[in-house]
């Protein structure tokens, strides 16, 4: 073999090695790294959806009285800093809560939907604009319910676990029917009202909650009020002393 032939053979062999390296995804030279795509991150699993609880009425005001559990439910609106503070406080005490979010609030603070779920809490629907849904026409009321449901679905993959009417403790028969049509088997009411939205002071909020609470109670509270932020540690400590545990509404009824 001549010198020229040997050089040609070496070049051909080098070409075969390089081709094999490319086929195997070799990155020793760094050339293939440019063409190798990293794996795509896995998507978040969908959030839990509504459930039907056959032993409970269409409008739920409380859970079973024979168990030492209660549900603290929060109307989701207002300053996101107070929302985060309340969630942090609950989690430090090992408590889980239920958040009924206003759709327009989620529009402004979409990251809070995942913050609620990542903390192990329930997330539900409190209408789109927090107007008097019971006073609306059928078309308007249905739009309020479904607009918030759509936002929850877009953000979390689910319409949320619960629906609570805005500006009312209980839904009218019409709103109850519309909520069911939208996918919510139950309307979530409550049997204990903290009245925190009246800003009566933290001691009064604590007294309002603890004065009426018992096993199975569902308590109405709000994000966005500093009295609630100040009162929640005392509420949770008082629940501990009574042997009551704060759980999600889903857990309360399960």
């Amino acid at each position: 073999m001549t010198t020229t032939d040997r050089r040609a053979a070496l070049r051909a062999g080098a070409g075969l090695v390089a081709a094999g390296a490319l086929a195997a995804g070799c990155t020793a030279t760094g050339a293939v790294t440019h063409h190798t795509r990293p794996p795509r991150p896995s998507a978040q699993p969908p959030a839990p959806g509504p459930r039907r609880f056959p032993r409970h009425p269409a409008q739920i005001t409380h859970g079973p009285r024979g168990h030492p559990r209660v549900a603290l439910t929060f109307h989701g609106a207002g300053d996101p800093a107070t929302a985060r503070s309340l969630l942090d406080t609950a989690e430090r005490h090992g408590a889980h809560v239920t958040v009924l979010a206003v759709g327009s609030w989620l529009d402004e603070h979409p990251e809070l939907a995942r913050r609620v779920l990542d903390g192990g809490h329930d997330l539900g629907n409190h209408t789109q604009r927090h107007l008097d849904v019971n006073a609306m026409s059928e078309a308007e009321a249905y739009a309020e319910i479904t607009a918030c449901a759509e936002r929850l679905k877009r953000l979390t993959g689910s319409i949320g676990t619960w629906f609570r009417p805005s500006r009312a403790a209980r839904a009218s028969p019409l709103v109850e029917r519309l909520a069911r049509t939208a996918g919510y088997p139950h309307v979530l009411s409550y049997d204990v009202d903290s009245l925190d939205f009246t800003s009566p002071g933290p001691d009064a909020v604590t007294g309002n909650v603890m004065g009426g609470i018992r096993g199975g109670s569902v308590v109405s509270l709000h994000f966005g009020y500093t009295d609630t932020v100040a009162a929640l540690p005392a509420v949770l400590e008082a629940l501990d002393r009574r042997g009551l545990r704060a759980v999600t509404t889903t857990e309360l009824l399960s």
Side-chain angles (χ1 to χ4, degrees):
M1 180 181 293
T2 67
T3 301
T4 301
D5 290 339
R6 283 198 298 272
R7 288 175 179 171
L10 287 171
R11 284 197 298 270
L16 289 172
V17 170
L22 284 169
C26 176
T27 60
T29 65
V32 182
T33 304
H34 177 73
H35 299 287
T36 302
R37 295 181 179 179
R40 296 178 64 183
S42 59
Q44 290 276 7
R51 287 174 51 188
R52 184 171 178 270
F53 294 89
R55 297 182 181 180
H56 293 276
Q59 297 215 42
I60 294 172
T61 57
H62 63 82
R65 294 299 191 187
H67 298 291
R69 298 180 295 190
V70 298
L72 304 180
T73 67
F74 290 85
H75 301 239
D79 184 352
T82 63
R84 293 188 183 94
S85 179
L86 286 161
L87 292 170
D88 289 346
T89 297
E91 290 158 16
R92 282 196 299 270
H93 281 77
H96 293 110
V97 303
T98 300
V99 178
L100 293 314
V102 175
S104 58
W105 184 67
L106 292 176
D107 288 340
E108 295 178 3
H109 311 290
E111 73 284 354
L112 288 178
R114 184 52 57 181
R115 169 65 186 88
V116 170
L117 293 170
D118 288 348
H121 312 290
D122 273 358
L123 180 64
N125 179 332
H126 197 36
T127 75
Q128 175 60 21
R129 296 176 294 164
H130 201 260
L131 304 176
D132 186 354
V133 69
N134 285 343
M136 293 179 178
S137 69
E138 180 171 350
E140 290 172 329
Y142 191 64
E144 279 291 309
I145 297 168
T146 56
C148 185
E150 288 164 3
R151 280 152 178 77
L152 287 165
K153 178 84 171 179
R154 186 177 68 245
L155 292 170
T156 72
S158 162
I159 64 172
T161 48
W162 300 100
F163 168 74
R164 173 172 287 170
S166 48
R167 307 276 179 167
R170 294 182 63 83
S172 67
L174 171 62
V175 170
E176 179 186 317
R177 175 171 62 80
L178 295 176
R180 189 164 54 249
T181 301
Y184 302 96
H186 301 279
V187 172
L188 181 59
S189 184
Y190 47 87
D191 65 322
V192 177
D193 193 344
S194 70
L195 298 175
D196 57 349
F197 62 93
T198 66
S199 298
D203 292 343
V205 172
T206 303
N208 291 338
V209 172
M210 300 312 301
I213 204 167
R214 55 191 176 118
S217 282
V218 176
V219 183
S220 172
L221 294 148
H222 292 75
F223 286 167
Y225 292 89
T226 56
D227 286 354
T228 316
V229 174
L232 187 59
V235 168
L236 292 169
E237 290 165 7
L239 290 176
D240 287 343
R241 289 193 294 271
R242 291 197 193 180
L244 296 172
R245 187 163 63 96
V247 299
T248 66
T249 307
T250 300
E251 187 177 356
L252 181 73
L253 300 176
S254 298

